[in-house]
Amino acid sequence: MNEKTHDIVIYGATSFVGQIITHYMAEEYGCDSLRWAIAGRSMAKLMDLKQSLWSSSKNLAVLTADANDLEALTTLCHSTQVILSTVGPYDLYGEPLVKACCQTGTDYCDLTGEMHWIKRMQEKYSEVAVKSGARIVHACGFDSIPSDCGVHFLQKHSAKKHGKPCSTINMGVKRISGGLSGGTIASMLNMTKQIIKDPLLRKELGNPYSCCPPDHGFTARQDNISVAYDEHAKSWLAPFMMAAINTRIVHRSNALSGKAYGEQFYYQEATLTGDSKAGEKRAKRMATGFKLFNLATAISPIRWLLERFILAKPGEGPSPEEQLNGEFDLRFRGQTEQGEVVKVKVTGDRDPGYGSTAKMISQAAMCLAFDIDQQTPGGFWTPATLLGDTLIERLQTHAGLTFEVLAD
Ligand SMILES: NC(=O)c1ccc[n+]([C@@H]2O[C@H](COP(=O)([O-])OP(=O)(O)OC[C@H]3O[C@@H](n4cnc5c(N)ncnc54)[C@H](OP(=O)(O)O)[C@@H]3O)[C@@H](O)[C@H]2O)c1
């Protein structure tokens, strides 16, 4: 029998994305049949959030714990089977909760794309998680569920159709619309500050296998796209902002699944900008914009000005209309060593970072609470390796995503 009071606790429910998650959970599951709770550091803010829900929210439990208070976080962990956390930048606030989950055997998912922090958490707490049975799954938002599950879906189809995995997969972002929140910007800027403080970190972040276990043995060269033309996609390519996160998670999935995608697996992500001269110009503009943004945020007075006057602040983000009208369309093209091709399309019906991310991480938490085999060992997993097909099913049924095999 499960002695925990809650199935799922949403920690950081008052964050920009946490509020969207809370509203989604309330609308999708109500507050009576599912045993879930909202948590954060401010009771007043949590109560305001609770008041903003439907009247059925009177049974929703509200819990408080500061992100630096290990004792309070441990109490929180003892009360629930799964914790979903949005308290970020995770590098600044996330470690005590991961520690508490690993020590208490509590399953955990989050939205971090801070690869250096993920690596540090793996190094520090993997053994503890294995011992306690806690299943830890980072990157359960737009980075990196569509990429990680898209590759998993494509490889399953390749195995079924061709009897082997694709050794190369290129993902192209065909359409994307949405914006960035203050929390995401704070996480990106914090990472820039960390790189300036520790130049070795730049090298670590440049390693496509940085999040794989140390004995991964992968040697295939991986590319970072700047501007290029893709003959298969018949399109110019520009950098994709999330590629540095998603590619690392996908390679970790390959490592954790016993190299199911192959020893020399190649994976790349880019933005498709079109076939024409205009597509080429757009790709060049995007690549230059990307470089300039990185350069500007690396210079401390410019970063200060951007933070102070231009970029979204913590608690801010895309408007409800932008979330509702947003969408994404990702195209995956895989090829086996013998040249057989598999094409897959993954789409989402809201802005990727918030409207859609809120639904994705909620379903990841539901999957952790209700679907996975409770004998599955503890440790640091990826969305595809721990939640895989069941999550894909949930995303299609409850979260507005589609996964579709396209004709060759
Ligand atoms: N992977 C993805 O696709 C994706 C998408 C969206 C967001 N994210 C990430 O998710 C995180 C949240 O983003 P956001 O824009 O929603 O952030 P946000 O609005 O700035 O919220 C940050 C949250 O952290 C809480 N917090 C800060 N210090 C705390 C402490 N000491 N104890 C407890 N709580 C504390 C804040 O509590 P208060 O409300 O009380 O101030 C707030 O709820 C960011 O790291 C972002 O990068 C990732």
Side-chain angles (χ1 to χ4, degrees), residues 247-264:
T247 52
R248 275 59 174 166
I249 298 289
V250 167
H251 287 302
R252 181 168 175 82
S253 287
N254 189 23
L256 296 187
S257 58
K259 302 185 180 171
Y261 308 161
E263 182 94 35
Q264 292 298 317

Side-chain angles (χ1 to χ4, degrees), residues 17 28 35-36 41 72 97 100 110 172 251 260 344 347:
V17 68
E28 194 72 13
R35 301 180 315 157
W36 63 292
R41 63 176 163 179
L97 179 58
D110 70 22
H251 287 302
V344 157
T347 66

Side-chain angles (χ1 to χ4, degrees), residues 11-12 14-18 40-42 45 65-68 86-90 93 111-114 141-143 181-184 187 314-316 353-354 357:
Y11 185 59
T14 53
S15 72
F16 183 79
V17 68
R41 63 176 163 179
S42 158
K45 281 177 100 172
D66 190 276
N68 297 311
T86 79
V87 175
Y90 293 85
Y93 309 122
L111 291 176
T112 187
E114 296 156 69
F142 180 60
D143 36 310
S181 71
T184 299
S187 302
E316 297 174 0
Y354 304 94
T357 281

Side-chain angles (χ1 to χ4, degrees), residues 210-364:
S210 68
C211 274
C212 293
D215 59 352
H216 61 79
F218 296 134
T219 54
R221 216 184 88 90
Q222 309 285 335
D223 297 321
N224 292 320
I225 290 295
S226 177
V227 175
Y229 186 76
D230 182 337
E231 285 296 342
H232 298 296
K234 295 267 172 287
S235 173
W236 284 91
L237 304 178
F240 175 47
M241 208 176 155
M242 304 302 177
I245 303 165
N246 296 335
T247 52
R248 275 59 174 166
I249 298 289
V250 167
H251 287 302
R252 181 168 175 82
S253 287
N254 189 23
L256 296 187
S257 58
K259 302 185 180 171
Y261 308 161
E263 182 94 35
Q264 292 298 317
F265 177 62
Y266 174 90
Y267 181 64
Q268 181 213 84
E269 295 192 344
T271 306
L272 304 173
T273 59
D275 194 20
S276 56
K277 204 76 199 141
E280 181 181 0
K281 273 193 189 153
R282 199 172 148 228
K284 287 182 177 162
R285 257 199 326 271
M286 280 180 79
T288 308
F290 205 62
K291 275 189 204 138
L292 285 177
F293 181 77
N294 286 338
L295 196 70
T297 53
I299 301 167
S300 139
I302 302 183
R303 186 171 62 241
W304 183 84
L305 286 172
L306 287 172
E307 270 181 286
R308 185 93 171 75
F309 298 110
I310 296 178
L311 300 171
K313 313 227 167 2
E316 297 174 0
S319 68
E321 291 71 34
E322 283 171 309
Q323 290 168 38
L324 196 65
N325 297 328
E327 58 166 349
F328 63 86
D329 178 345
L330 313 180
R331 302 299 172 102
F332 298 75
R333 181 186 186 278
Q335 190 163 325
T336 67
E337 268 165 14
Q338 287 67 36
E340 293 117 330
V341 172
V342 180
K343 290 184 186 169
V344 157
K345 167 176 161 180
V346 177
T347 66
D349 70 346
R350 296 278 162 87
D351 79 298
Y354 304 94
S356 186
T357 281
K359 298 194 276 185
M360 286 189 243
I361 191 170
S362 300
Q363 292 306 326

